[in-house]
Amino acid sequence: MMKSSRGITLVALTITIIILFILIGIGMRVAFASVNEVIDNQLTTELGIVRQAIVERYSLAQAVNQIKVPKESEPVSFWLGERIEQFSEIALLDEALIKEDVSAFYQKGEHYQCNYQEDFYYRLTPENLSKMGVGDVKHTYIVNYKTAEVYNETKKVTSDFRLLYLPSTKYPTNNTTTEDKVNFNDWD
């Protein structure tokens, strides 16, 4: 009597299942990487949008002559958000966790001297940003109107541990007391 060879063997079935699991694993890894990349791009874009809003706000303050208001005077409505008196009030991650050199930003606490209201950092909530015309923001940002620095205090880093921070493009990164001679209409 002859055996029929129409079926598949247990070994062939096992190898097929293993190959399918490998392909599913590769597909899931690519899918998660794509999702993380989209989220990181969204966070980076949001940083730029917040920067543009604070640059516009600072330009408006210049236009109505609200620059160089002493820090002891009554708060000016141009500077939305909670004024940060000490740099240590900002929630920072351990610098060792971040994949880039951010020492210039992290060392600002040593140089945080503010003579005017626009020199301070401010904490902007989604509600503050909404008043500035920036909608659909879910994070809290630390900004400096004068230097146009922006830091995402809620999320802090991207999925690959890059700091969500846009440094000043006009001033040295460790000096917030520089005389303001910048026209913010010529941003790159």
Side-chain angles (χ1 to χ4, degrees):
M1 193 163 164
M2 293 183 65
K3 286 188 173 180
S4 172
S5 61
R6 291 181 151 182
I8 59 171
T9 65
L10 187 56
V11 172
L13 181 61
T14 304
I15 291 173
T16 304
I17 290 173
I18 290 172
I19 290 173
L20 284 174
F21 279 130
I22 290 171
L23 291 174
I24 289 170
I26 291 170
M28 288 178 61
R29 175 179 248 178
V30 169
F32 285 131
S34 297
V35 168
N36 284 340
E37 185 177 339
V38 167
I39 291 170
D40 291 348
N41 287 341
Q42 180 183 10
L43 290 169
T44 305
T45 301
E46 200 170 275
L47 279 174
I49 291 169
V50 171
R51 173 180 265 177
Q52 183 61 36
I54 65 169
V55 166
E56 288 174 8
R57 194 77 173 179
Y58 190 77
S59 295
L60 178 62
Q62 283 180 316
V64 295
N65 202 23
Q66 289 296 318
I67 304 298
K68 300 294 181 199
V69 176
K71 69 178 179 180
E72 295 84 15
S73 64
E74 200 61 34
V76 178
S77 62
F78 282 98
W79 315 127
L80 291 177
E82 172 194 350
R83 187 167 85 179
I84 298 173
E85 300 291 335
Q86 301 291 324
F87 194 78
S88 59
E89 295 175 27
I90 299 172
L92 299 172
L93 281 179
D94 181 7
E95 192 175 353
L97 296 174
I98 300 169
K99 281 190 171 179
E100 58 193 318
D101 179 26
V102 292
S103 58
F105 179 63
Y106 275 57
Q107 293 170 358
K108 284 185 177 289
E110 302 168 11
H111 308 285
Y112 194 59
Q113 299 172 354
C114 304
N115 298 319
Y116 302 102
Q117 289 191 20
E118 71 266 16
D119 293 333
F120 284 94
Y121 284 89
Y122 289 83
R123 182 173 284 115
L124 296 179
T125 63
E127 293 80 25
N128 298 132
L129 290 165
S130 178
K131 289 178 185 176
M132 295 171 69
V134 179
D136 293 335
V137 176
K138 297 175 183 76
H139 303 285
T140 299
Y141 289 88
I142 302 297
V143 301
N144 186 299
Y145 289 98
K146 182 177 179 179
T147 63
E149 291 172 88
V150 181
Y151 169 63
N152 186 327
E153 188 180 36
T154 310
K155 188 74 173 161
K156 296 177 183 63
V157 292
T158 61
S159 63
D160 61 349
F161 290 95
R162 287 179 289 119
L163 190 67
L164 286 168
Y165 168 67
L166 291 177
S168 172
T169 58
K170 299 296 181 182
Y171 296 113
T173 55
N174 64 351
N175 187 356
T176 60
T177 59
T178 305
E179 182 69 25
D180 185 11
K181 297 178 183 172
V182 175
N183 179 358
F184 284 106
N185 294 326
D186 61 353
W187 280 80
D188 298 330

